Amino acid sequence: MNEALLLTKKTVEFRNSYPELIAQWEMQIGHGNCHPDLHFCLTLVDDFPYLNAYLRSIDYLFGFTINAYIIHSNWQRDFIESGYSGNSALELANHEIQLTYNALNESEAIVKDPKAKIYRNILA
């Protein structure tokens, strides 16, 4: 499994275009004062024990959260452009990110990762 989970072409382009913003988001996550959507992407990981353990075992929780937030924001924008209201777009983006987290959480590579198993046992 690649550590660069959720690094789509659009995510990479965004990261390359806005490195200062990425650094700001990393600081916000580290200090616990991030805005609601970024906080949602971070705290949602707690609901997926295998994914959470895997991310912690490779020290990639912040990077993953930022990747997820960029994707989440893109979904919101796309839903709004498709005619959904702001609230509906947010709920749809939330649902999509939950489906993504669930698919990763249940992936064989994450479930069977030996280092992640140790972290999962510690976090349980």
Side-chain angles (χ1 to χ4, degrees):
M1 174 72 55
N2 188 334
E3 288 182 20
L5 295 172
L6 306 184
L7 255 156
T8 65
K9 182 180 177 190
K10 284 185 177 182
T11 306
V12 170
E13 289 172 358
F14 187 94
R15 281 180 161 276
N16 290 337
S17 297
Y18 303 99
E20 297 87 10
L21 188 56
I22 299 300
Q24 177 186 341
W25 290 344
E26 288 173 343
M27 283 183 48
Q28 287 175 345
I29 291 172
H31 290 78
N33 61 356
C34 47
H35 50 79
D37 292 350
L38 184 56
H39 183 261
F40 173 78
C41 290
L42 175 65
T43 58
L44 183 65
V45 176
D46 291 340
D47 294 339
F48 299 93
Y50 294 110
L51 177 60
N52 189 341
Y54 177 77
L55 293 170
R56 291 175 187 276
S57 74
I58 60 173
D59 197 26
Y60 194 64
L61 182 63
F62 287 8
F64 174 88
T65 298
I66 290 171
N67 293 344
Y69 172 64
I70 294 167
I71 291 171
H72 183 272
S73 299
N74 288 339
W75 273 325
Q76 279 190 68
R77 184 195 66 236
D78 292 346
F79 286 128
I80 288 171
E81 288 174 358
S82 295
Y84 290 91
S85 70
N87 287 338
S88 293
L90 175 62
E91 289 302 316
L92 288 167
N94 287 352
H95 179 71
E96 291 299 322
I97 209 78
Q98 287 174 317
L99 292 176
T100 302
Y101 281 24
N102 189 54
L104 289 169
N105 185 66
E106 294 176 359
S107 74
E108 194 171 308
I110 287 178
V111 170
K112 293 189 175 184
D113 183 275
K115 190 173 178 187
K117 281 184 178 181
I118 293 168
Y119 273 76
R120 185 172 181 275
N121 290 339
I122 290 169
L123 294 169

